[in-house]
Amino acid sequence: MSDQIRVRYAPSPTGHLHIGNARTALFNYLFARNLGGKFIIRIEDTDVKRNIAGGEESQLTYLKWLGITWDESVDIGGGYGPYRQTERLDIYEKYWQDLIDRGLAYKCYCTEEELEQEREEQTARGEMPRYSGKHRSLTAEQQAAYEAEGRIPSIRFRVPEGKTYTFNDMVKGEISFESDGIGDFVIVKKDGIPTYNFAVALDDHLMAISHVLRGEDHISNTPRQLMIYEAFGWEPPAFAHMTLIVSESRKKLSKRDESIIQFIEQYDKLGYLPEALFNFIALLGWSPEGEQEMFTQDELIAAFTASRLSKSPALFDTNKLAWMNNEYMKKTELSRVVDLCLPHLAAAGRVTGMLSESQRAWVNDLVALYQDKLRSASEIVPLTELFFLPEPADEEDAAAVLGEEQVPAVLGAFLEQVKALEEFSVDGVKAAIKTVQTSTGFKGKQLFMPIRAALTGQTHGPDLNATIVLLGRTKVEERLAARLG
């Protein structure tokens, strides 16, 4: 094991950055930064059939978007490269050939059909399916005969018999596996590409990885990797297997569960703030001391320790994420929030093309009016709908208010004041409403509610004076006149 703290996040370029993978990257990043170590990103692309175009770029792009940086990878290099597994095939070959030479691995010529039949027979007997080892001791003549048939071998690791593999997990504590329950496993596929457990063990050693923090679904892989380490006489890294993330129904987070937005790119497109998502993900299976929930990245780095990783599943609370993003939205400079909102307003046809200076100022005021309510920038569209409708759609409470007997007097007086205003401003509107109060004798809810309901179709909302000014004199006069018949 390296004296220096070195951890890695090793994505496969088979899709976009998932929330679970983002958590793995983030915890490794925090662990390394807290201890002054190195954080490495390695691309595990040996499952060539599942790799997608742009998958690697998407992973790196959205890690950067979250605010995660790294010390070594495909994009910046480093002293332990290459950092892409398909560029390390010659390295792997040297090691698997060494295992064959020492009798610790062997060529297996079984076809998929033969292996499937073996599994079916074992299942029928009530046994746990595993490779029987039927090609463990082939003679040179038998191997030659199989090759004469055109069979291409895979390479299997020879699992030691009657041995217990134990490791002390930083989250789970001591975990043991019996080797007799693990059949000889493939380390190199028929196409010459190494399998995950072989490549990852070699890469972690050769890149001097000191700690492996990953999801608990990898626990069953650990004994196989320990066997590889043992075969070469290497010291394994320390392991920490983080608990699963579960939905609010307490089920393992599934990519098929559409009730939860699960990809980082989606949060970006919805207008979430990356620092809010970083903060939220950091609390999925890790807890600080005390009750604080809002952290800067520097605070999380200072506080993060593996000893605080949870032993219980991490609940993905969508409401908490929305609340947290709203808290960040409230504190973010208006210009940044406007920039997040503009693409959504444009997509809804609310703004078009290049905005003039006056149009930009109007949008700024519009967003400022609703900034404290935004849980994501995309919400600016439904929240501001009343400003873009030909006439307001009345909510039930608003319709009830508009049926009150004082409404015609209040709206009529206010319409007169609006027409008379020299400057249609917040101060001007405020003065106009004050004059209506004096002239009609109505005040409080009897005064303000009819005006708001008539102009917005709602009984509650942001500052009334600012709302009226944003609607504009023409629209205000038209809506008041329509209400008065």
Side-chain angles (χ1 to χ4, degrees):
M1 190 189 298
S2 170
D3 291 333
Q4 183 188 43
I5 299 296
R6 288 176 58 82
V7 299
R8 49 72 171 177
Y9 167 61
S12 299
T14 55
H16 300 295
L17 182 59
H18 184 262
I19 200 88
N21 293 334
R23 182 188 68 163
T24 298
L26 192 149
F27 282 3
N28 277 278
Y29 168 76
L30 292 175
F31 183 80
R33 295 290 179 259
N34 174 269
L35 296 172
K38 300 292 186 183
F39 175 53
I40 296 94
I41 292 185
R42 182 176 70 227
I43 304 298
E44 296 187 346
D45 60 343
T46 54
D47 194 351
V48 178
K49 292 179 181 178
R50 294 183 61 229
N51 294 344
I52 64 168
E56 178 183 308
E57 180 185 4
S58 176
Q59 290 274 337
L60 298 181
T61 295
Y62 281 97
L63 288 172
K64 289 176 184 175
W65 179 83
L66 273 173
I68 295 174
T69 58
W70 45 90
D71 302 291
E72 302 168 26
S73 190
V74 292
D75 56 339
I76 58 176
Y80 294 82
Y83 293 92
R84 194 178 283 112
Q85 283 188 334
T86 51
E87 296 173 4
R88 298 173 62 83
L89 299 182
D90 57 335
I91 298 173
Y92 305 133
E93 182 175 3
K94 180 177 71 172
Y95 285 97
W96 61 252
Q97 188 60 58
D98 173 61
L99 291 178
I100 289 179
D101 292 343
R102 292 191 287 130
L104 299 178
Y106 60 91
K107 294 180 179 180
C108 172
Y109 294 86
C110 292
T111 65
E112 284 303 316
E113 292 76 17
E114 289 170 340
L115 292 171
E116 179 60 30
Q117 182 179 350
E118 185 175 87
R119 286 190 291 267
E120 289 176 358
E121 291 172 353
Q122 289 170 337
T123 301
R125 294 194 299 267
E127 300 171 1
M128 181 69 72
R130 66 187 181 94
Y131 178 63
S132 65
K134 64 195 299 182
H135 284 188
R136 251 183 167 224
S137 305
L138 293 178
T139 64
E141 291 76 13
Q142 287 172 318
Q143 289 187 16
Y146 280 127
E147 289 179 8
E149 291 179 20
R151 293 199 188 194
I152 299 172
S154 60
I155 298 171
R156 289 184 181 270
F157 183 81
R158 193 183 300 274
V159 173
E161 296 178 5
K163 194 160 187 178
T164 301
Y165 287 86
T166 301
F167 63 98
N168 191 35
D169 191 271
M170 295 162 65
V171 178
K172 306 286 186 181
E174 189 174 282
I175 299 175
S176 295
F177 288 87
E178 301 300 326
S179 67
D180 290 345
I182 303 171
D184 294 349
F185 55 93
V186 175
I187 58 173
V188 183
K189 293 175 285 188
K190 294 179 187 294
D191 60 4
I193 302 294
T195 59
Y196 169 78
N197 281 311
F198 184 63
V200 74
L202 263 61
D203 288 343
D204 284 346
H205 172 75
L206 297 175
M207 293 182 181
I209 299 302
S210 63
H211 295 74
V212 172
L213 282 69
R214 58 190 180 186
E216 69 179 15
D217 50 329
H218 281 286
I219 288 178
S220 61
N221 288 322
T222 308
R224 293 170 174 82
Q225 292 164 23
L226 291 175
M227 291 175 194
I228 301 297
Y229 273 86
E230 181 183 62
F232 291 111
W234 299 335
E235 182 182 356
F239 291 99
H241 288 93
M242 300 169 289
T243 56
L244 298 174
I245 302 174
V246 297
S247 66
E248 291 170 14
S249 60
R250 307 290 171 175
K251 294 181 180 177
K252 178 184 174 182
L253 207 59
S254 165
K255 293 177 182 178
R256 294 184 294 274
D257 183 356
E258 297 182 357
S259 67
I260 295 176
I261 300 167
Q262 298 193 35
F263 294 95
I264 303 302
E265 182 177 0
Q266 293 173 292
Y267 286 102
D268 176 27
K269 295 190 183 314
L270 285 169
Y272 277 73
L273 291 165
E275 55 268 38
L277 206 56
F278 189 105
N279 190 159
F280 175 78
I281 294 172
L283 301 178
L284 285 175
W286 174 82
S287 61
E289 294 183 12
E291 301 299 319
Q292 182 178 345
E293 290 189 298
M294 304 287 287
F295 293 88
T296 65
Q297 184 176 137
D298 287 343
E299 287 173 335
L300 285 166
I301 289 171
F304 190 87
T305 60
S307 64
R308 302 287 303 178
L309 288 169
S310 174
K311 292 176 171 58
S312 303
L315 176 65
F316 192 100
D317 186 338
T318 53
N319 291 326
K320 182 175 180 179
L321 175 55
W323 165 81
M324 186 171 283
N325 198 58
N326 175 248
E327 290 297 309
Y328 275 87
M329 282 283 196
K330 291 175 185 176
K331 299 169 185 174
T332 299
E333 60 274 16
L334 176 62
S335 61
R336 186 180 176 202
V337 179
V338 171
D339 287 341
L340 289 172
C341 290
L342 273 171
H344 299 283
L345 291 170
R350 304 286 171 78
V351 297
T352 55
M354 292 291 292
L355 299 181
S356 66
E357 189 173 330
S358 62
Q359 288 173 323
R360 175 78 189 203
W362 186 84
V363 172
N364 284 355
D365 290 342
L366 181 71
V367 173
L369 201 60
Y370 289 93
Q371 182 173 354
D372 284 357
K373 289 185 174 296
L374 290 173
R375 297 177 300 175
S376 69
S378 62
E379 291 188 345
I380 196 65
V381 174
L383 283 173
T384 60
E385 187 176 32
L386 68 94
F387 291 90
F388 302 95
L389 294 171
E391 56 185 41
D394 293 343
E395 296 176 352
E396 188 175 338
D397 289 349
V401 166
L402 291 171
E404 295 173 2
E405 60 181 356
Q406 85 282 10
V407 169
V410 169
L411 298 187
F414 185 55
L415 177 57
E416 289 181 14
Q417 291 300 316
V418 168
K419 289 179 176 178
L421 278 176
E422 292 184 11
E423 182 182 354
F424 197 72
S425 64
V426 169
D427 287 341
V429 168
K430 189 174 183 179
I433 294 176
K434 186 68 175 176
T435 300
V436 172
Q437 177 182 326
T438 303
S439 64
T440 63
F442 295 109
K443 60 183 179 180
K445 288 186 177 181
Q446 287 188 309
L447 172 64
F448 296 107
M449 283 287 195
I451 294 174
R452 183 184 291 277
L455 296 176
T456 69
Q458 302 168 359
T459 55
H460 301 283
D463 182 77
L464 179 59
N465 301 317
T467 299
I468 292 170
V469 171
L470 275 172
L471 280 168
R473 186 196 296 266
T474 300
K475 191 167 285 187
V476 167
E477 290 182 2
E478 288 175 351
R479 290 187 178 184
L480 289 171
R483 297 293 189 184
L484 290 166

